[in-house]
């Protein structure tokens, strides 16, 4: 049994399963610098445990995660913008590098890096109450994760549609696109996830790890300086400031 002490997520291990629950419900599980760090720590911890075969990631409350905490980021990024860039990169690299099968149990709203965490997981089941949106362009930010993860998951045109229009889609539409494996009634989310886990555990752990490794080779590596460039850009700074000040950003044409 893994012993750990996290502040912004809950780590629970039962049998061969480790569940990581993002636990900032008051801010819809927005990814603070601390939560990014703890999530990467938790994934790496579970991945290193011989007893764990499946990792489940979910959220507390009505959101899976609404992505980066822009209120915190607006302050931190003016002082040390590389902190968020490195922390977010570590999460996605740990998701792809883990030999364990990782399942996203999407309990509610998924936005920005919340959507991309779902895309980086090996499998995903969503509640019919879940919604998905990639609104980064609305705050003048960009990152390398969406352009690498989404085209492989849902195709180039659909990936561009999500990233360029910032439209919100339902769980049913996310399933049709291929972003998630299935959508289920909210009350059935735990049961159906458990059934999926049992199917996964019927396969050999080495075979599962090798299939995952070979598929993920198509994604390639992430360059965290892309995030740093966005955070340090005039457009990114204006977008985050506008978000905090609750106004429309004033873009330079």
């Amino acid at each position: 049994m893994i012993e750990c002490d996290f502040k912004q997520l809950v780590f629970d291990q039962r049998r061969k399963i480790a569940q990581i629950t993002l636990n900032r419900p008051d801010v819809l599980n927005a990814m603070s610098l601390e939560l990014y760090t703890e999530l990467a720590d938790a994934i790496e911890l579970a991945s290193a445990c011989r007893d764990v075969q499946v990792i489940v990631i979910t959220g507390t409350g009505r959101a899976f995660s609404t992505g980066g905490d822009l209120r915190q980021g607006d302050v931190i990024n003016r002082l040390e913008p590389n902190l968020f860039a490195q922390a977010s990169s570590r999460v996605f690299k740990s998701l792809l590098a883990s030999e364990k099968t990782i399942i996203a149990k999407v309990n509610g709203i998924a936005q920005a890096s919340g959507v991309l965490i779902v895309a980086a997981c090996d499998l995903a089941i969503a509640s019919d109450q879940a919604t998905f949106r990639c609104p980064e362009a609305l705050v003048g930010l960009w990152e390398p994760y969406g352009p690498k993860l989404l085209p492989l998951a849902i195709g180039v045109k659909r990936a561009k549609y999500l990233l360029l229009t910032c439209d919100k889609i339902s769980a049913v539409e996310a399933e049709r696109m291929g972003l998630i494996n299935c959508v289920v009634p909210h009350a059935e989310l735990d049961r159906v996830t458990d059934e999926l886990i049992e199917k996964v555990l019927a396969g050999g752990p080495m075979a599962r790890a090798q299939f995952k490794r070979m598929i993920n080779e198509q994604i390639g590596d992430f360059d965290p300086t892309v995030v740093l460039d966005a955070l340090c850009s005039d457009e990114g700074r204006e977008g985050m400031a506008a978000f905090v000040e609750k106004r429309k950003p004033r873009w330079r044409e």
Side-chain angles (χ1 to χ4, degrees):
M1 182 69 65
I2 299 174
E3 294 185 4
C4 49
D5 181 24
F6 294 110
K7 306 301 183 191
Q8 298 192 3
L9 62 80
V10 178
F11 188 100
D12 177 59
Q13 183 190 349
R14 55 183 175 89
R15 299 187 297 118
K16 299 179 180 180
I17 306 156
Q19 177 162 299
I20 300 168
T21 305
L22 308 179
N23 192 32
R24 301 184 74 209
D26 54 322
V27 290
L28 301 179
N29 299 322
M31 301 297 296
S32 63
L33 183 61
E34 294 81 5
L35 184 52
Y36 269 127
T37 301
E38 288 193 358
L39 179 55
D41 287 344
I43 294 167
E44 291 171 3
L45 187 65
S47 298
C49 179
R50 295 182 61 182
D51 294 336
V52 171
Q53 290 298 316
V54 174
I55 301 170
V56 177
I57 300 177
T58 191
T60 300
R62 63 188 184 94
F64 178 78
S65 174
T66 51
D69 187 337
L70 295 186
R71 291 185 181 278
Q72 183 191 55
D74 185 52
V75 175
I76 292 178
N77 290 328
R78 295 177 187 279
L79 304 174
E80 293 188 76
N82 63 305
L83 293 179
F84 263 97
Q86 295 294 334
S88 61
S89 176
R90 185 171 160 235
V91 166
F92 289 101
K93 289 182 177 180
S94 65
L95 286 168
L96 298 181
S98 174
E99 294 186 351
K100 315 299 183 179
T101 300
I102 304 180
I103 299 174
K105 184 167 68 174
V106 189
N107 56 297
I109 303 164
Q111 291 191 161
S113 60
V115 172
L116 303 181
I117 288 171
V118 174
C121 288
D122 305 308
L123 300 168
I125 295 180
S127 157
D128 56 3
Q129 297 178 12
T131 57
F132 300 81
R133 192 183 189 200
C134 295
E136 291 92 330
L138 295 179
V139 289
L141 294 175
W142 58 92
E143 33 68 24
Y145 317 117
K148 281 183 172 286
L149 292 166
L150 290 175
L152 187 61
I154 63 177
V156 171
K157 292 296 185 183
R158 287 171 174 168
K160 287 181 179 179
Y161 182 84
L162 290 183
L163 293 170
L164 300 181
T165 68
C166 305
D167 263 3
K168 179 171 68 176
I169 63 171
S170 68
V172 171
E173 181 65 10
E175 180 185 22
R176 188 185 70 81
M177 284 186 173
L179 180 60
I180 61 175
N181 294 102
C182 67
V183 53
V184 300
H186 186 76
E188 298 294 307
L189 184 59
D190 288 340
R191 180 185 64 80
V192 177
T193 302
D194 288 342
E195 290 177 354
L196 177 60
I197 291 170
E198 290 305 314
K199 292 179 181 179
V200 168
L201 290 175
M206 184 174 294
R208 287 188 276 110
Q210 290 300 325
F211 279 131
K212 174 175 179 173
R213 179 186 61 79
M214 289 185 284
I215 291 172
N216 285 353
E217 283 176 351
Q218 302 176 63
I219 298 172
D221 199 7
F222 302 116
D223 181 0
T225 62
V226 173
V227 180
L228 186 60
D229 290 344
L231 295 173
C232 293
S233 70
D234 291 339
E235 187 165 298
R237 291 183 184 277
E238 166 60 15
M240 284 190 290
F243 176 86
V244 172
E245 296 165 14
K246 298 182 179 180
R247 60 173 174 80
K248 290 185 177 181
R250 295 182 285 269
W251 304 130
R252 292 184 180 178
E253 299 296 335

